[in-house]
Every structure is written in structure tokens, then in C-alpha cells.
Amino acid sequence: MRNKNTTQMYGEVKSVEKLTPTMIRVVLHNGELANFAGSNATDAYVNARFVPAGSPVEAPFGPDDLEGLAPEHRPRPRRFTIRRWDSQRHELTIDFVAHGDVGFAGSWAQRATPGDRLQFDGPGGSYRPSSQVDWHLIGGDESAFPAIAASIEALPAHAQAIAFVVVDGPEHELDIDAQADVALTWLHRDSSPAPELLLPEAVSSAEFPQGTFDVFVHGEAGEVRAVRRHLVGDRGVDESTASISPYWRRTFTDEAWREVKRGWMAEQARDTVPS
Ligand SMILES: Cc1cc2nc3c(=O)[nH]c(=O)nc-3n(C[C@H](O)[C@H](O)[C@H](O)COP(=O)(O)OP(=O)(O)OC[C@H]3O[C@@H](n4cnc5c(N)ncnc54)[C@H](O)[C@@H]3O)c2cc1C
């Protein structure tokens, strides 16, 4: 059983829906969701713990339950954006990228059925489109799409945004319920000879509207880094007005990525220091 003072909580899968060939929406309810705080950030996320198949552990679990557990049975932490929180019904929606039969989180979503439990803590997150700027620059891949969509949906009708989202192809595009004036460009990996360049090249060749803007660019680490280098180095973007974050790294598991992330971020900061 879990310690009483823990910040962890769990929900049960209410429904699972395939939004695109590689995007799975899981709605959680019941469990301890009545205690969930929600967040004003449009990139709010939970730190969920995925129990590997074959592990004897079941949510809710606490530190005592993990003592002496074989490494391959230990729950794996992964961050996932809150696509929607319904504070009346206590329902939490998460959209998972299904990226093959690898890893723990994406494969969990592919197997999920009603009644399955997911334990998590949070929420974290810090971005919300500023009401003090003339327009918003938004970009990323499908892992950032839940935050991108939540951010765009939070914009009032008079706001203006330019957005770029990288997905495999047209059948991976999703609707956004936007009130604002949003120029959204979908970038397709399947028809590109260099998919990792799609986002940086789209941003660097974009004609920016006049006026002040804020930035939200999250997604694959190499792509995000290239966009940052351009925005800060070439367009003079002040990083205090920019939320630029690598969510995952191609070919790295989340564990391997977290091991090198600090060094990567330090190197990334040096990308734009004039020599
Ligand atoms: C704050 C935050 C919010 C996030 N929100 C979301 C979200 O809402 N939805 C979402 O799907 N992801 C989101 N991510 C990214 C997600 O946490 C990572 O993609 C994570 O690595 C997935 O874990 P996994 O166990 O499925 O795969 P892992 O075990 O981490 O990786 C296994 C293999 O799959 C590859 N891989 C991992 N992610 C992807 C991907 N997206 N596309 C293609 N290959 C991949 C890895 O490089 C590795 O080769 C978020 C990350 C952060 C930091």
C-alpha cells in the first residue's frame, strides 16, 4: 500500500480512442482523480509511471511496494501532457504517440483497455500564450501536439498565431478547435528526403508578422535545438519570451535521454553564444 503523504495518484482508463494511425487518446477517470489540482498552463503535464508487462506491481503503489523489485519490473517514469482536464467529471485526457512496440508508455497506450490503472504525479508545466504580445509562434511534432492544440484553443478570437506541426502524412493531421486566427502548416515526414529538417526549415523560411511575439517549440531534441539556434541566433528572440523544450530524443529511450539531457542543454545554450 502507498504512503499517505505521497503526491502520487492514479486514475482508471475510461476510454481509448485511435485519433490517427499513431495517436491514441486515453481518458482517465475514477481512482483518485477527484484530488487532482489541474493547471492553468497549456503545456501542463503529468509524470506517469508505466508498469512493465509481467511486473507484480499494480497501481496504486508506494515506495514500500517497489523495495527489492527486479529492475525490469520497476515502473518507468514518463511525462505526458494533459490534453484536457474536466474538473466537473474528474476526467483527464492524454494523447499518446504510438511509436511501435518499443518503450513503455506508447506501448501501454496501445494495449490499454477500460479499467486499467495509471499512476502519476503533477501537474508540472509553465507555458500559456502571453496576452501581452502581438502574435504567437508555435511548433513541434506529434508529441507536442497535445500542448500545441491546448495552447491554440486557449487563444482568444482576436489573437494571431503561426504554427508548424511535423507528422508522418496527411492521415496524421488532427483538428484544433481554434477561435483565433491561426495559420497552421502540417509538415509531412513521409514525403520529405530529410524529415528532421522540416521544422527548422519551415520556421527559418517563415515570414513573421510585424510586432512582438512569444514562442512555444517543443518536440524532438535535435529539431527543437535547430529551431532555437535560428530563433535566438538569427532572429534575435529573447529566451525569456520563449518556451523551447526537447521532449524526447530520436533513438534514445527516455532513461538514456535523461542521462545526457543536462549536458545537451548546456551545449544547446552555447549554440548562440557569439564567439
Ligand atoms: C513535458 C513533456 C510532455 C510530453 N507530452 C507528451 C504527450 O502528450 N504525448 C506523447 O506522445 N509524448 C509526450 N512526451 C514525450 C514522451 O514522454 C516521450 O516520447 C517518451 O520517450 C515516450 O516513452 P516510451 O516509453 O513510449 O518510449 P521510450 O522507452 O522512451 O523510447 C523507446 C524508443 O522510442 C523512441 N520514441 C520515443 N518517443 C517517440 C516519439 N514521440 N516518436 C517516435 N519515436 C519515439 C525513442 O527514441 C526510443 O528509440 C512528452 C515529454 C515531455 C518531457
Side-chain angles (χ1 to χ4, degrees):
M1 274 310 277
R2 218 163 47 195
N3 294 345
K4 269 213 166 117
N5 60 358
T6 179
T7 56
Q8 301 270 319
M9 63 183 71
Y10 79 95
E12 281 177 7
V13 173
K14 178 186 181 205
S15 61
V16 183
E17 183 188 357
K18 206 165 184 187
L19 300 180
T20 74
T22 54
M23 189 70 102
I24 298 174
R25 170 160 294 171
V26 175
V27 178
L28 301 174
H29 70 162
N30 293 344
E32 297 161 322
L33 281 172
N35 302 329
F36 189 60
S39 167
N40 198 36
T42 53
D43 68 344
Y45 63 86
V46 291
N47 195 19
R49 303 245 171 342
F50 295 88
V51 177
S55 172
V57 172
E58 208 186 299
F61 51 82
D64 292 351
D65 302 307
L66 306 184
E67 237 167 66
L69 203 65
E72 66 272 21
H73 288 155
R74 296 184 78 81
R76 303 300 203 284
R78 298 282 187 271
R79 289 178 172 180
F80 280 85
T81 303
I82 299 166
R83 177 64 180 87
R84 196 167 292 131
W85 165 239
D86 184 330
S87 59
Q88 303 295 311
R89 296 177 175 195
H90 303 140
E91 289 180 4
L92 183 73
T93 302
I94 300 178
D95 291 347
F96 292 83
V97 179
H99 50 91
D101 195 19
V102 290
F104 296 91
S107 57
W108 177 86
Q110 289 172 82
R111 293 192 312 269
T113 54
D116 288 356
R117 292 175 173 186
L118 184 63
Q119 183 162 324
F120 60 87
D121 63 76
S126 55
Y127 173 80
R128 188 173 182 90
S130 168
S131 56
Q132 307 300 312
V133 295
D134 297 314
W135 64 279
H136 310 273
L137 176 66
I138 296 175
D141 61 13
E142 49 287 77
S143 72
F145 185 78
I148 289 173
S151 301
I152 288 175
E153 287 171 2
L155 291 172
H158 60 79
Q160 191 188 358
I162 297 184
F164 301 97
V165 183
V166 189
V167 293
D168 286 344
E171 70 279 23
H172 296 261
E173 297 176 8
L174 281 157
D175 288 336
I176 301 180
D177 193 9
Q179 297 171 58
D181 172 12
V182 182
L184 169 59
T185 304
W186 294 96
L187 305 165
H188 297 151
R189 290 187 193 93
D190 287 350
S191 52
S192 166
E196 66 285 0
L197 298 180
L198 282 169
L199 186 63
E201 286 184 355
V203 173
S204 59
S205 60
E207 198 175 314
F208 287 5
Q210 293 291 315
T212 57
F213 62 102
D214 67 357
V215 175
F216 180 86
V217 177
H218 293 204
E220 199 281 324
E223 297 173 23
V224 166
R225 182 170 175 174
V227 173
R228 178 192 171 277
R229 191 183 298 124
H230 166 69
L231 290 176
V232 178
D234 305 332
R235 301 252 198 185
V237 164
D238 171 357
E239 283 201 89
S240 67
T241 62
S243 175
I244 301 179
S245 173
Y247 272 0
W248 65 285
R249 177 75 178 127
R250 194 169 282 111
T251 75
F252 285 57
T253 64
D254 202 50
E255 283 76 16
W257 168 233
R258 275 183 270 126
E259 261 181 44
V260 299
K261 190 171 175 185
R262 188 185 289 258
W264 172 278
M265 296 304 280
E267 263 181 43
Q268 178 177 282
R270 288 195 291 273
D271 284 350
T272 45
V273 175
S275 50

